[in-house]
Amino acid sequence: MELKAEEVISAIEKKKYFREFLKEKQNGKITHAYAFFSEDKLTLKFLLTLCAMTICCPKNGCGMCSVCGKILKNVHTDVMTVSSPKIRVEDIEKLKEDIALLPYEGDCKVYILQNAETMNESAQNKLLKLIEEPPQNAVFLFGVSDEFSLLSTVKSRMKRIDVERFAPEDILGIKSFVKQAGNAKNAELAAVISEGNLSAAADIASDGKYNSVFALATGLYAKLKNSRCVAACMADLTPYKDYINEFLNILLIFTKDMLQYELGRADKIILKNSEKEIISVLWEFNAPALMGIIEKINATRKKLMLNCNPVLAAERLLFDILEVKYICRT
């Protein structure tokens, strides 16, 4: 999925972790090496580009000047990007050769390592020598999706920044993502299931099975009228047993949206394109029931983290939902 860089960058710029990085640049306190930790490799890619723009641009990453334009196109002579699927000793050797040269277009050189977690021990030890005594005019930016792959000696030489996940509405605000997802509902589905991971959202948007899981979750309460309906609901869900975590995530958000509606806060719902489904079943639930069901869904999600049988856990949840609904009836 090809996303417009300026749209993703705009979403990143609003996040607290980036605003703190920007403040360091504005105050002249940029350190020599930063490690950005996130499982979301797509966001890391755009983030590292934005940070390089922020460092090199006289206007702190304006996105409009020739400096930012060159970095976006990956043609700036003072910004070197290593994006190999696996970073090798040879890649670090090239950095070592380049770092000995003075900046050509500005006052600083930036080295981006997009897949820093792929370095083997030899590459990391060679890199360590560079970041232990870096030249004043060089900044290293590391994108790390698995922190346990890095040597503690390497991590200790970097400033750690944990990358905040996007909210679903942040992802839906990326117009190029919504366009390539096919339609607003598919985009909403991907944004919600991904739990703020842009890489996962892009993958989900192209996987047709998620549409079925989304339909099952948002249609559950319409079908689950009493205990006799549990078998039919499970028959629908069992073919998607590998997607039960995603099913629970959607169901949780759908239920929270129902609660928002019940409390008179319809403008706060996340699943904007499922408003019809929410209204059609809302009359069967009151606020205490919805809050109780939310607790049951969260408890089931915790069970799955302990490797419980997903099908049995989902079936137990359906009975729990009916029980809560009955106890809280008005």
Coordinates of all heavy atoms in Angstrom, one line a residue, residues 1-10 46 72 174-177 179-180:
M1 N 0.8 -1.2 0.0 CA 0.0 0.0 0.0 C 0.9 1.2 0.0 O 1.7 1.4 0.9 CB -0.9 0.0 1.2 CG -1.9 1.2 1.3 SD -3.0 1.2 2.7 CE -4.2 0.0 2.1
E2 N 0.7 2.1 -1.0 CA 1.5 3.3 -1.1 C 0.7 4.5 -0.5 O -0.3 4.9 -1.0 CB 1.8 3.6 -2.6 CG 2.7 2.6 -3.3 CD 4.1 2.7 -2.7 OE1 4.5 3.8 -2.3 OE2 4.8 1.7 -2.7
L3 N 1.2 5.0 0.6 CA 0.6 6.1 1.3 C 1.4 7.4 1.0 O 2.6 7.4 0.8 CB 0.6 5.8 2.8 CG -0.1 4.5 3.3 CD1 0.0 4.4 4.8 CD2 -1.5 4.5 2.8
K4 N 0.6 8.5 1.1 CA 1.3 9.8 0.8 C 2.0 10.2 2.1 O 1.5 10.2 3.2 CB 0.2 10.8 0.5 CG -0.4 10.7 -0.9 CD -1.3 11.8 -1.2 CE -1.9 11.7 -2.6 NZ -2.8 12.8 -2.9
A5 N 3.3 10.4 1.9 CA 4.2 10.7 3.0 C 3.7 11.9 3.8 O 3.7 11.8 5.1 CB 5.6 10.9 2.5
E6 N 3.3 12.9 3.2 CA 2.9 14.1 3.9 C 1.7 13.9 4.8 O 1.6 14.5 5.9 CB 2.6 15.3 2.9 CG 1.5 15.0 1.9 CD 1.9 14.4 0.6 OE1 3.0 13.8 0.6 OE2 1.2 14.6 -0.4
E7 N 0.8 13.0 4.4 CA -0.4 12.7 5.2 C 0.0 11.9 6.5 O -0.5 12.2 7.6 CB -1.4 11.9 4.4 CG -2.0 12.7 3.3 CD -3.0 11.9 2.4 OE1 -3.1 10.6 2.6 OE2 -3.6 12.5 1.6
V8 N 0.9 10.9 6.3 CA 1.3 10.1 7.5 C 2.2 11.0 8.4 O 2.0 11.0 9.6 CB 2.2 8.9 7.1 CG1 2.6 8.1 8.3 CG2 1.3 8.0 6.1
I9 N 3.1 11.8 7.8 CA 3.9 12.7 8.6 C 3.0 13.7 9.4 O 3.3 14.0 10.6 CB 4.9 13.5 7.7 CG1 6.0 12.5 7.3 CG2 5.4 14.7 8.3 CD1 7.0 13.1 6.2
S10 N 2.0 14.2 8.8 CA 1.1 15.1 9.5 C 0.5 14.4 10.7 O 0.3 15.1 11.8 CB 0.0 15.6 8.6 OG -0.9 16.4 9.2
F46 N 8.3 6.4 8.1 CA 7.9 7.8 7.9 C 8.4 8.7 9.0 O 8.8 9.8 8.8 CB 6.4 8.0 7.8 CG 5.8 7.4 6.5 CD1 5.1 6.3 6.5 CD2 6.0 8.1 5.3 CE1 4.5 5.8 5.3 CE2 5.5 7.6 4.1 CZ 4.7 6.4 4.1
L72 N 12.7 13.7 1.5 CA 11.5 12.9 1.2 C 11.8 12.0 -0.1 O 11.3 10.9 -0.2 CB 10.3 13.8 0.9 CG 9.6 14.4 2.1 CD1 8.6 15.5 1.7 CD2 8.9 13.3 2.9
I174 N -5.8 9.6 7.3 CA -4.9 9.5 6.2 C -5.7 9.2 4.9 O -6.1 8.0 4.7 CB -3.8 8.4 6.5 CG1 -3.1 8.8 7.8 CG2 -2.8 8.3 5.4 CD1 -2.1 7.7 8.3
K175 N -5.9 10.1 4.1 CA -6.8 10.0 3.0 C -6.4 8.9 2.0 O -7.2 8.2 1.4 CB -7.0 11.3 2.3 CG -7.7 12.4 3.2 CD -7.9 13.7 2.4 CE -8.6 14.7 3.3 NZ -8.8 16.0 2.6
S176 N -5.1 8.9 1.8 CA -4.5 7.9 0.8 C -4.8 6.5 1.4 O -4.9 5.5 0.6 CB -3.0 8.1 0.6 OG -2.3 8.2 1.8
F177 N -4.8 6.3 2.7 CA -5.1 5.0 3.2 C -6.5 4.6 3.0 O -6.8 3.5 2.5 CB -4.8 4.9 4.7 CG -5.2 3.7 5.4 CD1 -4.4 2.6 5.4 CD2 -6.5 3.6 6.1 CE1 -4.8 1.4 6.0 CE2 -6.9 2.4 6.7 CZ -6.1 1.3 6.6
K179 N -8.5 5.7 0.7 CA -8.7 5.5 -0.8 C -8.2 4.1 -1.2 O -9.0 3.4 -1.9 CB -8.0 6.6 -1.5 CG -8.1 6.5 -3.0 CD -7.4 7.6 -3.8 CE -7.6 7.6 -5.3 NZ -6.9 8.7 -6.0
Q180 N -7.1 3.7 -0.7 CA -6.5 2.4 -1.2 C -7.2 1.2 -0.5 O -7.1 0.1 -1.0 CB -5.0 2.4 -1.0 CG -4.3 3.4 -1.9 CD -2.8 3.1 -1.9 OE1 -2.3 2.0 -2.1 NE2 -2.0 4.2 -1.6

